[in-house]
Amino acid sequence: METVPVESGLLLAGVLFMLGLISVLIRRNIIFMLISVEIMLNAAGLAFIVAGSRWAQADGQVMFIFILTMAAAEVSVGLALILQIYHQLKTLDGDMASKMKG
Amino acid sequence: MHLTFYVASAIAVLSTIMVITRYNLIHALLYLVVSFLAISIVFFVLGAPFVAALEIIVYAGAIVVLIIFVIMMLNLKAEAVEQEREWLTRKIFIGPALLSVVLLAELAYMILQSRTTDFNAPMLDAKAVGLSLYGPYVIGVELSGILLMAGIVGAYHLGRQKKKVVHRFLESTEE
């Protein structure tokens, strides 16, 4: 059975992370920015899985579970913030939320 | 094995490109689900079936459904798509994309320069992950519990609507 080289897994994680980074840079809609952060977190988890599979240790999968927990907490708080911003500013434009008030 | 990995990676990259170029939020989320399913197949090929199941349940299930619920609450109309098309012009796109591609090329150069090693394709099942999770990493589990607790309290506090207190007699005089 032929196997996959480690570099291809790491390159896939790198490409996915770059796509998320591009999206978070070019988008103005805050929901799209949140989705992009999810893509980047998932790519980081993929790199952990690749490393854990390379050395045949379960630590990589444990780290992925921690990343998963963090992503779930982050997306719930982020969506609550998006709802508050939309109710206050009546728009999803991230640039409109550049001023702090009180 | 070989082919499965590369086909799933290609699907993951293509659907992620579709996610970041869509104007409609719901279409982007559907492509995001496809991307997560493809990455789940990659996990399965790499010998991590437990994490592959978690990826589908938590990412493609819980997180995407949460975002869909928020979109339903926001009640976006067709103007939102038009506005998105207005915001995402080529002029905005090209600069960050080029700089990120340069960074990716440097990363790929550094990865590919090293000696090539193959996966020894071990199957790490849920038992090994659980023994590691509740053995040496038990402090991490407790910290995750605290983080989730903080997330719940934060989401409740931020998501609460301020009640507008108007006396009913005052309200009736306004009408």
Side-chain angles (χ1 to χ4, degrees), chain A residues 18-30:
Chain A
M18 181 207 65
L19 287 174
L21 180 65
I22 289 177
S23 181
V24 84
L25 286 174
I26 63 175
R27 289 281 181 176
R28 281 176 75 182
N29 191 328
I30 41 180

Side-chain angles (χ1 to χ4, degrees), chain A residues 26, chain B residues 23 85-97:
Chain A
I26 63 175
Chain B
Y23 298 124
R85 182 167 290 142
E86 211 171 279
W87 281 347
L88 194 62
T89 55
R90 185 179 299 268
K91 203 176 65 179
I92 299 173
F93 204 103
I94 213 82

Side-chain angles (χ1 to χ4, degrees), chain B:
Chain B
M1 197 66 127
H2 219 112
L3 194 64
T4 320
F5 177 84
Y6 287 116
V7 170
S9 332
I11 292 175
V13 171
L14 283 180
S15 57
T16 308
I17 289 174
M18 293 301 271
V19 169
I20 71 172
T21 52
R22 289 307 92 183
Y23 298 124
N24 195 327
L25 206 42
I26 295 290
H27 296 172
L29 276 176
L30 292 178
Y31 278 112
L32 189 67
V33 171
V34 176
S35 166
F36 285 154
L37 293 181
I39 293 173
S40 162
I41 290 178
V42 169
F43 287 164
F44 199 82
V45 171
L46 294 184
F50 179 55
V51 166
L54 272 185
E55 169 94 10
I56 293 181
I57 295 171
V58 178
Y59 267 110
I63 289 180
V64 171
V65 167
L66 203 61
I67 297 176
I68 286 178
F69 273 139
V70 167
I71 293 170
M72 284 162 62
M73 283 173 76
L74 291 183
N75 196 13
L76 299 173
K77 305 262 183 354
E79 295 93 69
V81 180
E82 285 304 314
Q83 195 178 32
E84 196 66 31
R85 182 167 290 142
E86 211 171 279
W87 281 347
L88 194 62
T89 55
R90 185 179 299 268
K91 203 176 65 179
I92 299 173
F93 204 103
I94 213 82
L98 273 182
L99 293 178
S100 306
V101 166
V102 169
L103 283 181
L104 178 75
E106 282 188 350
L107 182 68
Y109 174 70
M110 281 190 284
I111 288 175
L112 293 177
Q113 220 187 11
S114 61
R115 200 163 43 85
T116 301
T117 47
D118 283 353
F119 287 116
N120 33 13
M123 187 64 101
L124 288 169
D125 54 351
K127 185 182 174 187
V129 179
L131 282 178
S132 185
L133 191 60
Y134 287 100
Y137 285 104
V138 71
I139 186 74
V141 176
E142 291 170 3
L143 286 175
S144 300
I146 296 174
L147 178 70
L148 283 176
M149 184 72 201
I152 291 172
V153 173
Y156 174 73
H157 179 73
L158 289 172
R160 196 177 38 179
Q161 306 281 343
K162 289 229 170 54
K163 280 214 183 73
K164 211 190 286 179
V165 182
V166 180
H167 200 270
R168 58 177 187 270
F169 295 131
L170 289 178
E171 208 172 27
S172 62
T173 51
E174 276 177 5
E175 284 171 359

